[in-house]
Amino acid sequence: MPLSYPEMLQDDCIGVARAVEVLRSGGLLGLPTETVYGLAADARDGKAVARIFEAKGRPRFNPLIVHVPTLDHITELVEIGPNARILADAFWPGALTLVLPSKGKVADLVSGGLPTLAVRVPAHPLAQRILQAFGGPIAAPSANPSGQVSPTRASHVEAGLGARIDAIIDGGPCEVGLESTILKTNDDGVRLLREGGIAREEVERLVGPVSVDLTPGRVEAPGQMERHYATHVPLVLGGEPKDEDLCIGFGPVEGHLTLSDSGDLVEAAARLFSVMHKADELATARGFQRIHVTDIPEVGLGRAINDRLRRASHPQA
Ligand code: TXA
Ligand code: MG
């Protein structure tokens, strides 16, 4: 029997048509967004959604984000209040996810039985074309095996999930490189559930101070596990590097990997997962015992970068 591999699709008319066919037939598609690659399925098809959990090896209770092409499509799925409207107008299409009261239009498994639904309008032009052509809501978590580093290139999806999924469409490297910022809004205000591609400061400029509870294990975004984004070779954050470490820097570092030569947080965010994949590969191939990452300033996108690095470096249970 021939081995089955995911079909590799290109960013052209044929690729888009085939991607839509895969989704319509209840298949799983590796799909680029501007944040990270998603593992997409028809959000109305319970079986297709169940296959997402199976392919990722993801605990059932972690709810998924639903993607649609415009704000109009959002209003069919959830109730949108005044704060949500302000944020949607400012940041969509883009790296923002809003958790809002669900109208129950998608498969139950998508929100893991919660009365709310996480929704997002992605900006990536290829994601937009596929969403428009498909015409329905697409559930998509990041396209990595559960707990591992998120994919920012089609090749990362192929390496991580391979034959467990039906197809991958290549939209190039992700521009933002970090998952979306997740906010939950209601009449009382705005809560930050996950730091991400839109800095907290940008949100607060529009809606005032947001409340934050990112305590691992207690967070309202149940997918926010303490150990997540893990590399195979142990990763340490901060402190002094040892001689036997493979180092990831922030700023110009000769002979080492760097998140950004110029110390730019936006560039560092965009490169983070790619550099983590690369460091893991190099460290494994060359027998390094640890990957050491320099401290990153805790401002703007630096908060989201540090959040990912802290989870990646959490000691294995
Ligand atoms: O940028 C992104 O957000 C990417 C791209 C593909 O859109 N997606 C992504 O999905 O990061 P995922 O599944 O890796 O993370 C989704 C997060 C989880 O932490 C989950 O707990 C939270 O969203 N979430 C989903 N629905 C929720 C809900 N109803 N209430 C609270 N948190 C929710
Ligand atoms: Mg994820």
Side-chain angles (χ1 to χ4, degrees), residues 36 56 58 141-144 148 150 179 194 223-224 228-229:
V36 299
K56 280 183 65 90
R58 179 175 194 155
S142 51
N144 51 287
Q148 295 186 16
S150 298
E179 295 88 345
R194 177 174 74 183
Q224 295 297 85
H228 199 167
Y229 310 103

Side-chain angles (χ1 to χ4, degrees), residues 144-303:
N144 51 287
S146 191
Q148 295 186 16
V149 181
S150 298
T152 54
R153 290 168 187 270
S155 60
H156 298 157
V157 183
E158 194 182 4
L161 296 172
R164 280 184 268 174
I165 69 178
D166 300 292
I168 301 168
I169 187 159
D170 191 343
C174 301
E175 218 169 277
V176 176
L178 285 175
E179 295 88 345
S180 57
T181 299
I182 305 182
L183 301 172
K184 186 170 184 177
T185 64
N186 54 33
D187 298 342
D188 304 334
V190 179
R191 300 164 67 85
L192 178 70
L193 304 192
R194 177 174 74 183
E195 306 267 17
I198 290 172
R200 190 195 297 187
E201 292 89 335
E202 279 188 73
V203 173
E204 293 189 322
R205 220 171 286 139
L206 281 174
V207 292
V210 299
S211 56
V212 185
D213 183 3
L214 302 172
T215 323
R218 267 189 49 208
V219 285
E220 276 184 73
Q224 295 297 85
M225 294 174 289
E226 239 172 303
R227 183 172 164 80
H228 199 167
Y229 310 103
T231 45
H232 297 95
V233 175
L235 184 144
V236 277
L237 178 60
E240 280 300 308
K242 297 185 183 166
D243 286 345
E244 62 272 24
D245 288 350
L246 179 90
C247 296
I248 300 178
F250 178 64
V253 267
E254 220 169 290
H256 287 299
L257 294 168
T258 182
L259 292 172
S260 165
D261 262 331
S262 58
D264 174 25
L265 287 169
V266 174
E267 186 188 22
R271 286 170 45 83
L272 176 68
F273 291 136
S274 207
V275 169
M276 284 169 72
H277 279 288
K278 185 87 206 156
D280 212 12
E281 246 171 58
L282 281 176
T284 306
R286 300 187 190 164
F288 285 94
Q289 297 304 302
R290 312 192 314 173
I291 299 167
H292 176 274
V293 192
T294 325
D295 280 315
I296 310 294
E298 185 75 10
V299 291
L301 291 185
R303 293 186 213 268

